[in-house]
Amino acid sequence: MTQSARESPLGVFDSGVGGLTILRAIRHALPCENLVYVADAAYVPYGQKSPEQVRDRAMALGGFLVQQGAKVIVVACNTATAAAIEALRTRFPIPIVGVEPAIKPAVAATRSGVVGVLATPATLASARYRSLIERFATGIRVVAQPCAGLAEHIERGALSSGHTEQLLRGFVEPLLTERADVIVLGCTHYPLVAHLVQRIAGPGVTVLENGTAVAREVAKQLTLRDSARSDGTGSEIFWSSGPTRQIEALLGELWASHARVRTLQESQTPAGRDLNATS
């Protein structure tokens, strides 16, 4: 791998700001890497669209990130991973890393034999999620809690409000009633309110997210291809397909006060089409 190729960025996308939880883990693990992040805010939430719609949008964003020179693409969204990762891997000749609910570590951590999963309805309905349960949860009761509307609520930026906590109680308390002692955050938006989930669940419950595991897999792919950037301080470029003001406000809170967001036009996504028109 040439030095110029090592300078190529890692591309990361999500329907909105949730993927910043994955980006944060990647930045912590790989401080030298250049990062390009796309918040597909014009089409949030993915969790209420059909698998075909999500796949179309993922392919469009994948094409854009390849145009930006990405050497790895991270699908920082459970719903998009379930709907599109195989199609992305078929289309693009670079490593594609997805995210999945942390079922395997949850099974290893439970003492009660009951694991709770908070996720979007689309993730819970996917074949990929069912496969995780079949492969890793033998002998364990997994209680799935669909959280319709939660990602959109988080996207609006109310990360610590009383209303957010009240909304979360409606999702978390049924899992506690079922004696779950591990709760999996099965959407990349949800770690942004993990502090509230932990407060509701109490100290005896383990709350799991998957950013560290994703960052570890990205590092592995870079090592396998001798494509890691080994010195210097990595940069970040942020894009949004929707209005940038809300994203910038959240970036100021979650990333850095000086972060700015570029507008991603529909014409810049090679396979893009307006999913909202058919949803």
Side-chain angles (χ1 to χ4, degrees):
M1 180 70 65
T2 65
Q3 183 59 37
S4 61
R6 293 190 183 95
E7 295 295 316
S8 298
L10 307 176
V12 182
F13 75 85
D14 181 35
S15 61
V17 299
L20 292 174
T21 62
I22 302 297
L23 195 75
R24 184 168 55 196
I26 292 171
R27 169 53 74 225
H28 179 75
L30 300 165
C32 300
E33 295 295 338
N34 298 316
L35 308 175
V36 177
Y37 182 86
V38 179
D40 201 18
Y43 302 97
V44 67
Y46 284 172
Q48 294 181 18
K49 290 181 167 59
S50 72
E52 293 75 22
Q53 290 173 321
V54 175
R55 190 178 307 120
D56 283 343
R57 196 61 192 161
M59 298 300 279
L61 298 180
F64 171 74
L65 289 170
V66 167
Q67 287 182 343
Q68 299 301 299
K71 58 187 176 184
V72 176
I73 292 175
V74 179
V75 185
C77 171
N78 289 270
T79 299
T81 297
I85 192 134
E86 298 306 329
L88 286 164
R89 286 172 173 164
T90 299
R91 172 76 64 85
F92 302 114
I94 59 174
I96 311 290
V97 177
V99 298
E100 295 177 324
I103 300 299
K104 186 176 180 180
V107 167
T110 183
R111 303 176 305 281
S112 69
V114 183
V115 168
V117 180
L118 302 176
T120 68
T123 292
L124 296 177
S126 69
R128 199 171 186 92
Y129 174 77
R130 292 193 297 272
S131 174
L132 284 173
I133 301 301
E134 292 169 1
R135 284 183 288 147
F136 300 124
T138 302
I140 298 295
R141 189 156 67 93
V142 178
V143 182
Q145 175 62 62
C147 301
L150 181 56
E152 305 94 284
H153 183 80
I154 293 169
E155 194 76 21
R156 290 192 287 269
L159 304 182
S160 297
S161 71
H163 178 59
T164 301
E165 184 166 353
Q166 182 181 15
L167 181 65
L168 281 168
R169 284 189 181 277
F171 297 135
V172 173
E173 288 180 347
L175 303 181
L176 303 179
T177 299
E178 296 292 333
R179 296 178 49 249
D181 66 344
V182 179
I183 294 178
V184 174
L185 302 181
C187 169
T188 55
H189 279 74
Y190 301 171
L192 296 175
V193 293
H195 60 295
L196 295 180
V197 175
Q198 190 70 72
R199 181 190 302 170
I200 295 164
V205 174
T206 301
V207 178
L208 293 181
E209 54 185 282
N210 52 11
T212 300
V214 173
R216 189 163 52 241
E217 179 61 24
V218 172
K220 175 184 174 182
Q221 293 299 324
L222 294 176
T223 299
L224 287 172
R225 289 160 178 79
D226 189 28
S227 59
R229 188 171 187 258
S230 58
D231 54 23
T233 300
S235 65
E236 301 94 27
I237 297 175
F238 297 96
W239 294 83
S240 173
S241 63
T244 61
R245 182 176 299 179
Q246 181 65 39
I247 300 290
E248 283 190 347
L250 283 169
L251 275 174
E253 180 180 350
L254 300 171
W255 196 266
S257 60
H258 62 271
R260 293 294 177 264
V261 181
R262 305 179 185 187
T263 299
L264 179 64
Q265 303 293 341
E266 193 72 25
S267 60
Q268 293 173 277
T269 54
R273 66 184 181 89
D274 188 349
L275 302 192
N276 287 327
T278 56
S279 60

